Amino acid sequence: MEHPLFYFYRSDYTKQYEQFLLLQKKVMFSALRPKVSCIVDSNTSADAKMQAICEILKAEVPHYDWVGFYFKNGDKRELKLGSYAGAPTDHTIIPYGKGICGQVAESNQNFVVPDVQAQDNYIACSITVKAEIVVPLFVNGENIGQIDIDSNTPDPFTKADERFLEFVNFEVAKIL
Ligand code: SME
C-alpha cells in the first residue's frame, strides 16, 4: 500500500499539470490573435480571409481538427457552409434547430459539446469526431452565422477556446 502522502502529492501534481496546460493554451491563443487580425486587415476578399483563418486555426491549434463557418442562407431558416478547413462534409445546409449548429442559430449562445455521443440533437460528420464547439457570429447584434470546430480529442474545450473564438468572430464581423 502507498504512503498516504503519495496520493496527496500525486493529486497536487495533477492540478499543477492541468494549470500548466491551461496556461499553455492561453499563450497559444494570445499568439494567434494578432495573426487573425493580420488576416482580417490584409488586402484580399472576405472569402479568402475566412479561408485563411480556417486554415491557420486548424494548423496551429492541435485540438482543432475541422474548422468552418456557417452562415444564414438568405431569408431561409437554414445555415449554409462557407469557408472550412478539414475533411469535406455532406452537411453543407443545416436547418435551424437541427444539430449543434442549428441549435446555436436559434439560441444565440455558445454551445460546447465535450462528448458528441451524449447529444441527441447532433449531426455526425465523421466517426473520428469526439467533441464540438459552436460560437455564434453577430453583425450589428444579429446572429448571422457561426464558427464550428470539431475535435478528435475528447473534452478539449475550455473557456479559453470560447473567448478566443468570440474574438475570431468579432474580427470576422468587421469584413461582412
Ligand atoms: N456536427 C454539426 C454538423 C456540422 S459538422 O460538424 C461539420 C452539428 O451537429 O450541427
Side-chain angles (χ1 to χ4, degrees):
M1 180 174 164
E2 302 287 353
H3 189 279
L5 277 178
F6 170 84
Y7 296 100
F8 173 77
Y9 284 123
R10 192 181 59 171
S11 69
D12 201 46
Y13 176 75
T14 305
K15 264 183 232 153
Q16 279 182 15
Y17 185 61
E18 277 168 5
Q19 274 168 0
F20 166 75
L21 289 179
L22 285 176
L23 191 66
Q24 201 182 33
K25 215 179 188 191
K26 278 189 182 168
V27 170
M28 176 178 64
F29 288 142
S30 300
L32 265 174
R33 281 171 189 243
K35 293 186 188 178
V36 169
S37 301
C38 201
I39 292 169
V40 165
D41 294 340
S42 65
N43 188 18
T44 183
S45 68
D47 282 345
K49 290 175 186 182
M50 287 187 280
Q51 186 63 43
I53 290 171
C54 290
E55 279 163 20
I56 198 172
L57 263 55
K58 181 179 180 295
E60 299 212 8
V61 184
H63 59 291
Y64 289 5
D65 294 295
W66 190 93
V67 180
F69 288 98
Y70 281 93
F71 291 103
K72 187 174 195 310
N73 193 12
D75 289 340
K76 299 181 191 156
R77 284 182 55 80
E78 65 182 28
L79 294 161
K80 189 173 180 208
L81 182 61
S83 303
Y84 69 93
T89 173
D90 291 340
H91 307 290
T92 53
I93 298 284
I94 299 179
Y96 276 29
K98 298 274 185 230
I100 309 303
C101 297
Q103 292 178 76
V104 170
E106 291 185 327
S107 72
N108 308 325
Q109 309 271 328
N110 297 349
F111 200 152
V112 180
V113 183
D115 173 9
V116 293
Q117 290 199 357
Q119 291 291 320
D120 292 337
N121 191 357
Y122 167 71
I123 302 166
C125 279
S126 152
I127 49 160
T128 60
V129 176
K130 300 277 191 299
E132 178 163 4
I133 183 170
V134 178
V135 174
L137 195 161
F138 299 97
V139 173
N140 299 324
E142 190 192 346
N143 178 356
I144 59 110
Q146 51 194 236
I147 189 164
D148 176 18
I149 316 277
D150 284 342
S151 182
N152 298 340
T153 306
D155 194 9
F157 302 116
T158 63
K159 291 286 174 204
D161 293 86
E162 290 191 65
R163 297 296 87 81
F164 173 64
L165 295 171
E166 285 164 3
F167 169 81
V168 170
N169 282 354
F170 183 79
E171 289 293 285
V172 169
K174 294 176 186 171
I175 55 172
L176 297 174

